Amino acid sequence: MGERSPLRTYGRIKARPIKPRQAARLETLLPKLRVPERPFDPRALMPQASATWLEIGFGGGEHLAAQAAAHPDVLVIGAEPFQNGVASALRHIDEQHLANVRIHDGDARALLARLPDASLERVFILFPDPWPKTRHHKRRLVQADAVAELARVLRPGGALRFASDWADYVDWALERFLANPDFRWTAARASDWRTPPADHVTTRYEAKRLGDCAPVFLEFLRV
Ligand SMILES: C[S@@+](CC[C@H](N)C(=O)[O-])C[C@H]1O[C@@H](n2cnc3c(N)ncnc32)[C@H](O)[C@@H]1O
């Protein structure tokens, strides 16, 4: 994936000018936290970690930092190409003195391609860019090949959380995950997708309520 499927799934990579303090973190802290730009085993990044989790498209990094703070024994990798978002995440990591976060400041698909099979315990895809127009659906992150790649990197018994407040993207994602026999949707009743999971941390984009439905949470098990 990555280089092999270059169709852009994100909007912008830079918005407002980055403040000097944030720019300094991008220059000094990011190189220390950046994951290798070649195939690597995440266990080597934090050998004492009990598990490795990945958040794809962490936006401002609030959820990423909150999960890392709540689970200091877990290595939490975040992927995000939006520079202002990366700078914001670095601020959270710095201010909360988080030692268990690593960053890929680029397309998550390129990162997935570098990961060994069954190397992740959890993946979060929270409020991905909805690309609501039909002609843009091909830009959605959730595509059959990305779902297959996620199945490859997740260990059997691992979990993936997808959330969106765009009804059509929820249907779209459900269809694609259910089409892959490696994933099983764990919901038993409507409250399972309508109620935020107990360990969910509200994201910045979620709080804006820009979608056309209430937030939906889909939890998949890697069988
Ligand atoms: C709508 S925002 C939501 C951000 C955050 N998850 C939240 O809920 O506040 C979607 C984010 O996904 C990022 N994104 C889109 N495509 C991506 C990709 N291929 N790899 C990593 N991040 C991606 C975008 O840059 C953007 O920051």
Side-chain angles (χ1 to χ4, degrees):
M1 291 180 65
E3 287 72 22
R4 275 180 286 126
S5 63
L7 199 62
R8 205 168 35 79
T9 56
Y10 41 87
R12 50 203 185 155
I13 59 164
K14 203 170 170 196
R16 358 170 247 295
I18 293 175
K19 294 182 190 136
R21 185 92 186 255
Q22 306 266 60
R25 287 196 187 97
L26 283 171
E27 241 172 69
T28 56
L29 184 55
L30 181 58
K32 293 182 193 149
L33 302 185
R34 200 180 260 136
V35 297
E37 285 177 21
R38 48 169 170 74
F40 68 100
D41 187 339
R43 277 168 300 198
L45 303 181
M46 185 175 156
Q48 76 279 22
S50 62
T52 305
W53 297 358
L54 169 66
E55 181 170 350
I56 295 179
F58 57 70
E62 291 81 14
H63 176 274
L64 183 80
Q67 291 290 1
H71 304 278
D73 57 312
V74 172
L75 171 65
V76 184
I77 302 178
E80 174 57 67
F82 182 46
Q83 274 183 41
N84 301 70
V86 173
S88 162
L90 291 174
R91 179 170 64 79
H92 296 300
I93 293 164
D94 197 9
E95 288 177 356
Q96 297 177 49
H97 308 291
L98 299 172
N100 56 329
V101 182
R102 296 293 182 280
I103 302 286
H104 168 65
D105 51 326
D107 192 320
R109 297 171 297 178
L111 168 65
L112 292 175
R114 289 181 216 151
L115 292 175
D117 295 356
S119 53
L120 303 178
E121 274 72 26
R122 281 186 91 173
V123 173
F124 299 92
I125 305 174
L126 305 176
F127 305 92
D129 293 293
W131 296 108
K133 291 182 186 150
T134 307
R135 71 171 193 280
H136 287 148
H137 284 177
K138 56 184 183 293
R139 295 196 178 277
R140 287 177 168 172
L141 184 71
V142 176
Q143 305 287 346
D145 58 349
V147 170
E149 187 70 336
L150 288 162
R152 183 186 70 75
V153 297
L154 266 168
R155 130 179 112 61
L160 182 144
R161 177 175 297 162
F162 171 94
S164 180
D165 56 3
W166 289 88
D168 176 65
Y169 201 0
V170 172
D171 291 345
W172 168 283
L174 194 53
E175 214 174 284
R176 276 145 192 86
F177 279 104
L178 292 181
N180 187 314
D182 289 333
F183 283 106
R184 185 167 70 74
W185 186 28
T186 61
R189 54 191 72 82
S191 60
D192 290 341
W193 67 83
R194 286 191 189 139
T195 314
D199 65 345
H200 177 62
V201 178
T202 305
T203 71
R204 203 190 280 188
Y205 184 87
E206 174 185 4
K208 291 185 185 168
R209 291 291 176 118
L210 297 173
D212 61 1
C213 68
V216 171
F217 296 84
L218 304 178
E219 301 272 341
F220 298 99
L221 180 73
R222 168 66 167 95
V223 292

